[in-house]
Amino acid sequence: MKINTTPGRTLTGRLQKGEDLLRGLEKVCREEKFRLGELRALGAVARARLGYYDQGRREYRFIAFDEPLEIVSLVANVSIKDGEPFVHAHVTLADSRGAAFGGHLAEGTEVFACEYTITEQLFDGAIERSFDEATGLYLWS
Ligand code: ZN
């Protein structure tokens, strides 16, 4: 699937220290009623939890990092899942030596500081996530 979109609102702001990174971004998207969009952010986290999708087992494995890390880059898309705005985010984090690693952003990542920009994409309709048999994931249909 592919669709043409036109740029809508661009919203920029920051999350509060102590917020959950993924839930915080999702809350903004729900408050603003974004149906489709792209999101970028940077900053730092007090601790992190990332997911890695095991393609063979068709399940996420989670990795916890209990240390302060830089958000080198966070890229995400916003779409609709179960009728609500849903944020799918991937993040690259760096430690005190500058070593970077990354993955699928999971709940349990605590914001130290986060600056974000969300660009709304407008089109006639909404992209809904639904279960995809081939991957075991909820993908755009
Ligand atoms: Zn992902």
Side-chain angles (χ1 to χ4, degrees), residues 11-48:
L11 185 76
T12 197
R14 74 177 180 94
L15 299 180
Q16 296 299 313
K17 184 174 182 289
E19 270 190 274
D20 184 272
L21 181 54
L22 181 60
R23 293 293 154 244
L25 293 171
E26 212 154 65
K27 183 165 166 266
V28 172
C29 292
R30 288 180 180 191
E31 284 169 357
E32 297 296 326
K33 299 187 170 23
F34 285 117
R35 312 272 308 158
L36 186 69
E38 58 179 355
L39 193 160
R40 285 173 291 130
L42 52 80
V45 297
R47 59 194 172 92

Side-chain angles (χ1 to χ4, degrees), residues 77-110:
N77 56 48
V78 184
S79 58
I80 299 295
K81 185 181 175 195
D82 299 327
E84 292 284 339
F86 173 85
V87 172
H88 179 200
H90 284 198
V91 66
T92 304
L93 301 169
D95 68 13
S96 60
R97 297 174 305 117
F101 39 85
H104 176 98
L105 178 65
E107 205 172 334
T109 300
E110 184 185 327

Side-chain angles (χ1 to χ4, degrees), residues 45-78:
V45 297
R47 59 194 172 92
R49 187 163 166 266
L50 302 181
Y52 170 83
Y53 191 66
D54 185 324
Q55 298 176 12
R57 290 175 182 270
R58 291 177 160 231
E59 62 185 23
Y60 277 98
R61 279 193 250 144
F62 293 95
I63 317 155
F65 300 91
D66 198 15
E67 60 182 314
L69 300 162
E70 295 289 315
I71 304 171
V72 176
S73 172
L74 183 155
V75 292
N77 56 48
V78 184

